[in-house]
């Protein structure tokens, strides 16, 4: 049995001469729900995209399910095990909701159209959007589109779900419907890493908080310790919390 489902060892990344990540290390066990937070521009989204091999890194090691990830890794196969939910949904606008949910199943997992549709039905029902399967993304609200994106990720039977600020592009009234879906997945034991500014959600759902600033992980602790025992966290994390919890 593998000890960790995700393991980062001293990951560093540069854009030209600018170092965006500095010796980032952490590991995640199956079933953990971890929130990565920090100020804008701190490297949060870059870090989560590295886990899904959407970004490269120059130093360090990354293990997914005990497999060392490198340039020769079969990236489509890797990504089929990691569901990714983006800030701006990333749905195909010219495809219906059903087509958005079946195309990767057919092309990557080699499922038949019938199998793919059955799986899509299951997860559209899961996010309460089965009645919208023949609509196009442009006919849906932002909250509905993000729920479709979550369902699409689930159709690939991933071991891990990564969420990159899944509610930041939504109107406030649509945020709760998306957070409710994520919360229910967490309760069912899905391994999740979520980059978010929704600290109320982070407090309720996550088991761990990783706080990053200027590319450096300053805190990696339980959510209870992060939110309830501010004397034990860094001054930078305290100031961040004070600012975001006021809004």
């Amino acid at each position: 049995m593998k000890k960790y489902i995700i393991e980062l060892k001293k990951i560093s990344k540069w854009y030209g001469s600018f170092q965006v990540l500095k010796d980032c290390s952490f590991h995640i066990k199956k079933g953990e729900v971890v929130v990565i937070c920090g100020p804008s521009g701190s490297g949060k989204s870059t870090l989560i995209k590295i886990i899904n091999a959407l970004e490269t890194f120059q130093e360090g090691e990354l293990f997914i399910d005990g497999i060392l990830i490198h340039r020769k890794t079969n990236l489509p196969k890797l990504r089929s095990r990691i569901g990714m939910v983006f800030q701006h949904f990333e749905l195909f606008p010219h495809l219906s909701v059903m087509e958005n949910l079946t195309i990767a199943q057919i092309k990557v997992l080699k499922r038949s159209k019938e199998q793919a549709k059955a799986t899509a039905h299951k997860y559209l029902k899961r996010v309460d959007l089965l009645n919208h399967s023949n609509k196009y993304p442009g006919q849906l609200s932002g909250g509905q589109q993000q729920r479709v994106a979550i369902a699409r990720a689930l159709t690939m039977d991933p071991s891990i779900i990564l969420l990159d600020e899944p509610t930041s592009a939504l109107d406030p009234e649509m945020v709760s419907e998306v957070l409710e879906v994520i919360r229910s997945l967490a309760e069912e034991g899905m391994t999740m890493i979520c980059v978010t500014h929704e600290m109320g959600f982070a407090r309720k759902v996550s088991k761990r908080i990783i706080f990053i600033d200027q590319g450096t992980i300053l805190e990696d602790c339980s959510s209870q310790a992060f939110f309830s025992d501010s004397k034990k966290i860094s001054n930078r994390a305290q100031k961040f919390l004070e600012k975001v919890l006021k809004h």
Side-chain angles (χ1 to χ4, degrees):
M1 185 176 178
K2 302 176 189 74
K3 192 173 182 182
Y4 305 119
I5 196 165
I6 301 170
E7 189 170 11
L8 284 77
K9 294 183 177 180
K10 293 186 175 297
I11 294 289
S12 292
K13 178 176 177 62
W14 286 261
Y15 290 125
S17 60
F18 176 69
Q19 188 170 4
V20 64
L21 294 176
K22 304 169 185 174
D23 290 334
C24 292
S25 298
F26 62 85
H27 46 72
I28 294 173
K29 294 179 180 178
K30 185 175 175 59
E32 275 197 291
V33 179
V34 178
V35 160
I36 300 177
C37 62
S40 296
S42 59
K44 308 182 298 294
S45 290
T46 301
L47 192 58
I48 203 169
K49 286 174 182 174
I50 279 174
I51 294 171
N52 201 26
L54 294 173
E55 291 270 8
T56 57
F57 55 93
Q58 285 80 37
E59 291 182 2
E61 293 179 322
L62 169 64
F63 296 85
I64 303 293
D65 255 353
I67 299 167
L68 176 64
I69 306 305
H70 47 70
R71 289 177 185 173
K72 294 182 180 179
T73 300
N74 184 330
L75 296 183
K77 187 176 180 181
L78 168 70
R79 292 185 186 126
S80 72
R81 298 163 72 180
I82 302 175
M84 186 85 187
V85 178
F86 298 91
Q87 180 177 349
H88 295 289
F89 325 136
E90 305 294 338
L91 299 172
F92 295 113
H94 62 291
L95 299 181
S96 69
V97 167
M98 178 58 68
E99 289 167 335
N100 265 281
L101 266 66
T102 56
I103 187 169
Q105 294 186 67
I106 294 166
K107 290 192 173 184
V108 178
L109 300 183
K110 307 301 181 186
R111 287 177 179 160
S112 68
K113 285 186 179 181
E114 292 73 22
Q115 287 175 312
K117 281 188 175 183
T119 303
H121 268 89
K122 173 184 174 182
Y123 288 111
L124 283 173
K125 187 176 181 180
R126 175 75 176 70
V127 299
D128 198 24
L129 287 174
L130 192 54
N131 294 339
H132 300 273
S133 63
N134 293 321
K135 291 184 179 179
Y136 289 84
Q139 297 174 294
L140 304 177
S141 71
Q144 288 171 330
Q145 288 185 62
Q146 193 59 292
R147 282 151 58 200
V148 169
I150 292 170
R152 179 180 60 181
L154 292 171
T155 63
M156 304 298 285
D157 297 330
S159 304
I160 305 153
I161 294 277
L162 307 178
L163 303 111
D164 187 10
E165 302 200 25
T167 60
S168 63
L170 302 178
D171 293 334
E173 62 188 25
M174 297 176 185
V175 169
S176 60
E177 65 187 65
V178 173
L179 293 183
E180 178 58 29
V181 171
I182 298 170
R183 185 189 63 77
S184 64
L185 289 172
E187 289 178 351
E188 291 169 13
M190 174 65 75
T191 306
M192 289 195 286
I193 305 178
C194 183
V195 171
T196 185
H197 287 105
E198 295 283 344
M199 289 296 100
F201 165 74
R203 191 172 196 163
K204 289 177 184 175
V205 173
S206 66
K207 294 186 173 82
R208 270 170 64 200
I209 299 289
I210 293 174
F211 176 77
I212 184 170
D213 185 40
Q214 296 183 351
T216 300
I217 293 175
L218 299 182
E219 302 293 339
D220 182 353
C221 60
S222 71
S223 300
Q224 183 177 357
F226 189 79
F227 288 107
S228 305
D229 200 352
S230 62
K231 292 179 182 178
K232 290 187 178 179
I233 63 175
S234 65
N235 289 334
R236 181 68 189 91
Q238 288 179 41
K239 288 178 181 177
F240 172 79
L241 265 183
E242 288 169 9
K243 190 173 182 179
V244 298
L245 291 177
K246 284 180 182 177
H247 298 285

